[in-house]
């Protein structure tokens, strides 16, 4: 993970653009990665989730072109990728550039007037760590296109929500990752010092004050650096299982199942696996509501208990945790965290813990020591605060 400040990355990406394309960019835009406080694997079930924007961001230095060519370079990847907008497909340009080109494809398909671009990206969001470097990349590019083509989509919550939906389409269709809607909404709609309560059925959003520092605590993120690839079959398999269960139950999404009806509902499913998946989704959505209540009441101990319950549900019922995530969360708890849970899609990636401000170093050190003992790759831990959504930097 990069420790560079935003200003440093703006300078670096501007210089890289000049070196690559021989002129200054029209501007620099950035969008944050996100960490979901609670509400995991609920977005594609029409449920609730509660992400914050991270201080880590992806920056895009961009210039408009007069033709339809898109030229893309990343400080985190080799070489230059090129594609004409009308040639963009799940096969072209392929690789990381699909996340950039996909945005242009989705905007044009939606009837928005967009043209070619020269793009250089650089990022402080760790890749594949469950912190949504993919959405940060898409949303940084989307922000640039909106300003350069006068689309004005950053000017209102409605515009940002429309943009989020188009970035989801880009990721689903062109990058081939069947993700739900949370990541892009977080990157475009989260406010500083707030968590975003996102209702993935209605699309409604609400800012929930989130300031752990004011309460003497910190949110510690630990990137376990365990293997994690959303594009492999596991995420899609969970999503399919939920859709199948919803069909059996005769509901459009699992959101329709009230927590009070859970026991009766589970009795109508014929496999234990389906019962586990549904139980996770229904109880997890309820935990989001309870977390929002506890945050508003300033009851961090209760938030911590809900984090722990979420982790247990993801581990035991949804079966998307892994040894590294289980060790990291258990170690954090043993060293004074009020609660800890895996976050993001799972199978690796990151976990979060609410830690008393004075014990952040101790918890991070204990997790690192536990990983060493188990022979795991050294983890990377960092405290985060809720940060700003996609915007123009320069
Ligand atoms: P996550 O979103 O959790 O970080 P994903 O697998 O969804 O993990 O997305 C990671 C992928 O997004 C990378 O493999 C790469 O293709 C692309 N990506 C993200 N950030 C960048 C970047 N700064 N430069 C190039 N590609 C990036
Ligand atoms: Mg992603």
């Amino acid at each position: 993970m990069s420790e560079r400040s935003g200003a440093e990355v703006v300078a670096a990406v501007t210089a890289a653009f000049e070196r690559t394309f021989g002129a200054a960019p029209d501007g620099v835009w950035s969008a944050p990665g996100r960490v979901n406080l609670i509400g995991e694997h609920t977005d594609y079930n029409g449920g609730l989730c509660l992400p914050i924007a991270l201080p880590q961001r992806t920056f895009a230095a961009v210039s408009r072109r007069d033709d339809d060519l898109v030229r893309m370079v990343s400080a985190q990847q080799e070489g230059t990728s090129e594609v004409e907008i009308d040639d963009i497909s799940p096969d072209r340009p392929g690789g990381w550039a699909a996340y950039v080109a996909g945005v242009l494809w989705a905007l044009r398909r939606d009837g928005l007037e967009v043209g070619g671009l020269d793009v250089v990206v650089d990022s402080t969001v760790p890749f594949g760590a469950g912190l949504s470097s993919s959405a940060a990349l898409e949303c940084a590019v989307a922000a640039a296109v909106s300003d350069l083509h006068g689309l004005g989509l950053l000017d209102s919550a409605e515009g940002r929500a429309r943009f989020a939906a188009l970035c989801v389409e880009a990721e689903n269709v062109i990058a081939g990752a069947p993700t739900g809607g949370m990541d892009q909404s977080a990157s475009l709609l989260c406010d500083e010092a707030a968590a975003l309560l996102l209702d993935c059925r209605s699309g409604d959003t609400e800012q929930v004050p989130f300031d752990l520092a004011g309460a003497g605590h910190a949110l510690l993120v630990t990137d376990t650096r365990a293997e994690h690839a959303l594009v492999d079959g596991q995420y899609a398999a969970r999503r399919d299982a939920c859709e199948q269960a919803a069909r059996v139950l005769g509901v459009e999404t699992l959101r329709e199942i009230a927590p009070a009806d859970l026991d009766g509902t589970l009795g109508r499913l014929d496999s234990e696996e389906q019962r586990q998946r549904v139980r996770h989704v229904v109880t997890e959505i309820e935990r989001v509501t309870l977390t929002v209540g506890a945050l508003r009441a300033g009851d961090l101990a209760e938030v911590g208990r809900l984090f722990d319950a979420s982790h247990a549900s993801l581990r035991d019922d949804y079966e998307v945790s892994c040894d590294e995530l289980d060790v990291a969360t258990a170690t954090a708890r043993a060293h004074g965290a009020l609660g800890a849970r895996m976050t993001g899609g799972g199978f690796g990636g990151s976990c979060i813990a609410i830690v008393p401000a004075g014990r952040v170093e101790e918890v991070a050190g204990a997790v690192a020591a536990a990983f060493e003992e188990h022979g795991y790759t050294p983890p990377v831990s960092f405290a985060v605060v809720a940060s700003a959504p996609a915007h123009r930097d320069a």
Side-chain angles (χ1 to χ4, degrees), residues 84-132:
E84 295 279 341
I85 298 181
D86 283 339
D87 292 339
I88 297 168
S89 74
D91 302 317
R92 288 176 72 180
W96 73 271
Y99 294 92
V100 176
V103 172
L104 291 164
W105 171 89
L107 295 176
R108 180 169 281 187
R109 211 172 79 124
D110 201 44
L112 294 164
E113 298 248 345
V114 297
L117 301 172
D118 287 334
V119 182
V120 177
V121 301
D122 195 351
S123 181
T124 59
V125 185
F127 270 31
L131 303 176
S132 207

Side-chain angles (χ1 to χ4, degrees), residues 193-210:
L196 183 77
L197 174 60
L198 175 62
D199 183 326
C200 300
R201 178 170 60 182
S202 64
D204 290 348
T205 57
E206 197 181 324
Q207 304 288 344
V208 179
F210 184 73

Side-chain angles (χ1 to χ4, degrees), residues 284-300:
E284 182 77 356
I285 293 170
E286 190 182 26
R287 280 188 288 272
V288 178
T289 306
L290 295 171
T291 300
V292 170
L295 281 174
R296 290 198 193 284
D299 188 353
L300 281 189

Side-chain angles (χ1 to χ4, degrees), residues 251-332:
V251 291
E252 194 172 328
T253 65
L254 297 181
R255 173 69 183 282
E256 315 302 315
I257 299 161
D261 299 335
L262 182 60
D263 287 344
T265 303
L266 295 180
R268 291 164 52 207
L269 293 167
D270 34 49
S271 83
E272 180 54 23
E273 187 184 308
Q274 275 194 347
R275 280 191 283 274
Q276 286 177 224
R277 305 299 186 246
V278 171
R279 186 164 52 218
H280 166 70
V281 172
V282 175
T283 59
E284 182 77 356
I285 293 170
E286 190 182 26
R287 280 188 288 272
V288 178
T289 306
L290 295 171
T291 300
V292 170
L295 281 174
R296 290 198 193 284
D299 188 353
L300 281 189
E302 175 64 6
V303 176
R305 281 190 290 273
L306 291 160
F307 273 26
D308 289 348
S310 171
H311 186 77
S313 177
L314 287 156
R315 180 190 61 211
D316 302 335
D317 274 346
Y318 219 62
E319 298 181 283
V320 293
S321 188
C322 64
D323 293 343
E324 288 89 341
L325 288 167
D326 294 343
V327 167
T329 50
T331 306

Side-chain angles (χ1 to χ4, degrees), residues 224-226 322-328 367-379:
T224 64
R225 300 175 70 210
C322 64
D323 293 343
E324 288 89 341
L325 288 167
D326 294 343
V327 167
V367 173
F371 271 45
E372 192 174 351
E373 222 169 89
H374 282 83
Y376 302 155
T377 306

